[in-house]
Amino acid sequence: MFQTFDDSADPSLGLVRLAALRAELARRGLDGFIVPRADEHQGEYVPPSAERLKWLTGFSGSAGAAVVLRDRAAVFVDGRYTLQVRQQVDMAAYEPVDLVATPPSVWLETALPAGARFGYDPWLHTVAGVRALERAAERAGATLVAVDGNPVDAIWPDRPAAPLGRVRLQPLDFAGEAPADKLARLGRILAERRADAVVLTQPDSIAWTFNIRGADVPHTPLPLSFAILRRDGRPSLFIDGRKLGNEERAHLEDLADVEEPAALAPALEALGAGKAAVLIDPAWVASAVATRIREAGGQLVEGEDPVILPKARKNAAEIAGTRSAHLRDAAAFARFLAWFDREAPKGGLDEIAVVEALEAFRRETGELVDISFDTISGSGPNGAVVHYRVTRKTNRPVEPGTLFLIDSGAQYRDGTTDITRTIAVGTPTETMRACFTRVLKGHIAIATARFPKGTAGGHLDAFARAALWQAGLDYDHGTGHGVGSFLSVHEGPQRIAKTGMVPLEPGMILSNEPGYYRTGAFGIRIENLILVTEPAEIPGGDRPMMAFETLTLAPIDRRLIAPELLTRAELQWLDAYHARVLAEVGPLVDAETRAFLEEATRGLG
């Protein structure tokens, strides 16, 4: 199994570890410290050795932070984790704070005592993040202190070792562009930005640039590493050599100078000493990197990581790969749905059994490299926990009269998938059907949207919420995130969310996943991945419009749909989508699964 069900987070240890950290801070002459859920690369995915927030507080979500002062402590989480944080963290030790409404920098302005010395690890905070902390400390009359050596590490006796996942080459048939051509293209971008070099700290940017994949973090094929790309001259890649086989080393040494991670600091100082103009992304690059360059005499040129947009715009090979991956995954998921439909009414299923069965169906494709994230398998009220992760302690049975939410994905060499379906177990209530149908209306609104060049995801987000808003309902997460090509299941810069202001471009892949969650009762989410298509003329129109191609192919539970709430156009979309599911997936599955599909995709219109 790729997914495990242990619950290593123990809320009862919260006060003990908090006291140990306060003692360590006092020893260092610090009055407080911030512990982000981050590593040196500032990405969403971190190895076990960097799970400091989880070890200290018990919170296992993918975003958050803790602030520890002498007499109070707070844990910051966003709307996805408002229920989870109270389950995992000792509320006697930490007060929960909304990460979006009151980020740590804002909270500290009033919480920090005047004269306090507040510490942070400069490798775990971005340039922009440190600026926000500096402003907070100044307004509070406190001093911000960059620590040398993380105090959490000093009190973590069994901290895991840094990962040494094997690096693999990503074949050109899947990547679609040779790394030498990518490097030349990035060199031209550096010239346009008047930069001599750029420091890449995000492992997915490095993986895309050099056509490699790794195995350093769970479920995402990232090779933890750093790189310096130069406008003129060979790039440098800083990666632990123990991750490289002979073929991978030869591939990389043909493109770059391959060095150990310890060589990064001297290389940054050399850039500074040479008075180089170095491009850094303040939203992603660790403060420690920028400080090394600046203090050595270099000029910092702030701008977006030049890899982010080219990586987001999938090329023809990557698009072909993701279509193949989604069709393969669709067949496995259809077999799972047919199995669930047979077994759930019998009783005896629980959340863990469902996760195990779905992973088994994907393994039987013979192409599964990993799951793309821990499956969210929520029965009844657990489905209302947006990013719920089942453990042996929380495992619930699948019971009649409930909704079952299953959010899962797979990593294949040719693409990454992510799909959510909400399934009725027994007969759903009218409230369940009404809420589900309003979520479906929002999903269809995104799937059928047409929009001109320059439109951002933030312009479309309300499309997904309108039907819910009309009933006084909403959800506290974004409607869609970007997705990589056998890379991160959460990829920027594109997103469909109230704050998503990056224009959508052809080739970008996003999720379409509106939802609704009733605490203590049920959760609903319908998620497909979608591809932004090239602009096309619309008959009678006067400008070309982009649209979305739906990549995910799986039935949407007809038992949960109230047809009277759908318009004729919405019914037509649903029936056409289901006809496509049957036509494309039906030939790939066994007779029993096909019979299930025929019933599950039967027209409503």
Side-chain angles (χ1 to χ4, degrees):
M1 284 290 296
F2 288 120
Q3 183 161 336
T4 59
F5 307 102
D6 66 298
D7 189 2
S8 56
D10 186 351
S12 67
L13 296 174
L15 283 169
V16 174
R17 290 174 177 174
L18 180 60
L21 179 57
R22 283 179 169 144
E24 177 64 20
L25 296 179
R27 189 184 70 78
R28 298 186 184 206
L30 296 173
D31 300 296
F33 188 71
I34 182 168
V35 182
R37 204 269 183 177
D39 66 2
E40 297 85 347
H41 306 278
Q42 305 302 320
E44 178 182 355
Y45 313 100
V46 303
S49 57
E51 289 277 15
R52 297 177 179 89
L53 180 63
K54 179 180 177 181
W55 180 84
L56 179 68
T57 69
F59 175 64
S60 64
S62 63
V67 172
V68 175
L69 303 179
R70 285 184 180 272
D71 59 353
R72 64 189 297 196
V75 58
F76 298 78
V77 301
D78 62 40
R80 297 172 296 174
Y81 299 114
T82 51
L83 296 180
Q84 180 176 329
V85 71
R86 293 181 178 277
Q87 296 170 351
Q88 293 184 323
V89 178
D90 185 347
M91 293 291 102
Y94 297 89
E95 60 182 284
V97 181
D98 188 319
L99 178 65
V100 177
T102 311
S105 57
V106 173
W107 187 84
L108 284 166
E109 289 180 14
T110 55
L112 265 181
R117 286 169 48 82
F118 185 76
Y120 74 99
D121 185 335
W123 280 102
L124 303 186
H125 296 269
T126 66
V127 172
V130 170
R131 285 176 184 156
L133 293 176
E134 288 172 341
R135 288 192 297 269
E138 181 180 357
R139 290 169 181 167
T143 301
L144 191 65
V145 180
V147 302
D148 183 12
N150 195 298
V152 175
D153 298 349
I155 62 168
W156 188 353
D158 53 352
R159 181 180 171 223
L164 292 171
R166 175 72 180 271
V167 168
R168 302 288 185 185
L169 304 184
Q170 180 70 344
L172 186 59
D173 287 349
F174 296 151
E177 184 179 8
D181 295 331
K182 293 180 180 180
L183 289 166
R185 184 149 59 109
L186 294 170
R188 292 191 292 271
I189 294 175
L190 290 180
E192 292 169 2
R193 299 192 190 180
R194 299 182 179 180
D196 300 308
V198 61
V199 181
L200 299 182
T201 62
Q202 293 188 78
D204 57 339
S205 289
I206 294 167
W208 179 88
T209 300
F210 291 98
N211 286 358
I212 57 174
R213 299 295 187 265
D216 283 333
V217 300
H219 313 318
T220 305
L222 298 181
L224 296 185
S225 53
F226 297 90
I228 297 173
L229 309 187
R230 296 171 175 83
R231 181 171 65 183
D232 301 306
R234 282 170 65 81
S236 298
L237 176 64
F238 304 90
I239 188 168
D240 193 313
R242 289 173 291 180
K243 300 177 185 180
L244 305 177
N246 292 337
E247 182 183 9
E248 291 76 22
R249 179 175 288 278
H251 167 88
L252 291 169
E253 288 182 343
D254 189 49
L255 300 164
D257 296 328
V258 179
E259 304 184 62
E260 291 294 315
L264 175 64
L268 296 175
E269 292 166 357
L271 284 174
K275 308 301 180 186
V278 183
L279 177 64
I280 64 160
D281 189 332
W284 291 105
V285 171
S287 173
V289 171
T291 300
R292 289 266 187 177
I293 297 168
R294 184 179 61 249
E295 292 185 349
Q299 174 192 349
L300 297 178
V301 179
E302 294 192 3
E304 187 178 73
D305 178 338
V307 176
I308 287 179
L309 267 177
K311 173 166 58 68
R313 304 182 192 112
K314 306 299 184 286
N315 59 41
E318 291 170 321
I319 291 171
T322 198
R323 286 177 179 144
S324 294
H326 276 84
L327 190 57
R328 179 186 313 117
D329 201 58
F333 197 78
R335 294 180 62 209
F336 160 76
L337 287 176
W339 168 86
F340 188 92
D341 191 65
R342 290 192 306 270
E343 298 300 320
K346 301 176 184 177
L349 290 185
D350 57 28
E351 293 167 340
I352 289 178
V354 172
V355 173
E356 292 173 335
L358 178 52
E359 185 173 317
F361 285 119
R362 285 186 164 126
R363 282 182 179 275
E364 288 172 9
T365 66
E367 301 289 342
L368 183 69
V369 177
D370 200 340
I371 54 177
S372 54
F373 55 95
D374 281 332
T375 297
I376 298 169
S377 175
S379 176
N382 284 348
V385 181
V386 179
H387 272 211
Y388 171 70
R389 179 180 176 274
V390 58
T391 68
R392 304 283 178 197
K393 293 180 182 178
T394 65
N395 187 26
R396 284 181 63 92
V398 177
E399 298 173 316
T402 64
L403 298 184
F404 194 90
L405 189 151
I406 182 85
D407 184 349
S408 68
Q411 294 283 9
Y412 302 105
R413 293 298 299 273
D414 51 359
T416 300
T417 71
D418 183 1
I419 174 177
T420 307
R421 288 296 182 265
T422 305
I423 309 169
V425 183
T427 303
T429 66
E430 289 305 307
T431 297
M432 291 173 176
R433 295 176 72 240
C435 293
F436 182 90
T437 306
R438 290 186 181 278
V439 172
L440 176 59
K441 287 170 74 72
H443 181 93
I444 294 172
I446 295 295
T448 58
R450 300 292 182 271
F451 47 95
K453 181 179 179 181
T455 300
H459 300 136
L460 303 179
D461 184 73
F463 290 20
R465 300 177 190 268
L468 288 165
W469 287 349
Q470 289 172 351
L473 309 175
D474 202 356
Y475 50 95
D476 293 326
H477 58 76
T479 299
H481 55 81
V483 178
S485 177
F486 186 42
L487 271 176
S488 305
V489 74
H490 291 166
E491 176 182 270
Q494 72 276 20
R495 58 198 300 251
I496 303 173
K498 297 172 184 177
T499 57
M501 287 296 112
V502 174
L504 301 179
E505 298 186 39
M508 288 180 169
I509 298 173
L510 302 102
S511 65
N512 172 10
E513 51 178 312
Y516 173 68
Y517 310 91
R518 184 157 293 184
T519 302
F522 59 80
I524 296 167
R525 190 161 60 250
I526 305 169
E527 178 186 18
N528 287 342
L529 296 193
I530 51 179
L531 171 72
V532 182
T533 62
E534 293 287 345
E537 299 290 343
I538 295 178
D542 58 11
R543 65 182 65 186
M545 294 283 165
M546 291 185 285
F548 294 121
E549 172 193 334
T550 295
L551 298 168
T552 306
L553 297 169
I556 295 168
D557 195 339
R558 297 167 68 259
R559 296 166 296 187
L560 282 167
I561 299 171
E564 65 275 11
L565 295 180
L566 296 178
T567 66
R568 181 179 297 275
E570 289 166 342
L571 282 167
Q572 289 173 341
W573 180 89
L574 182 65
D575 285 350
Y577 174 72
H578 276 157
R580 181 183 165 210
V581 170
L582 182 61
E584 297 191 31
V585 183
L588 305 178
V589 297
D590 57 273
E592 190 173 21
T593 302
R594 182 178 174 89
F596 162 80
L597 279 179
E598 288 172 349
E599 175 60 24
T601 60
R602 190 162 46 83
L604 281 174

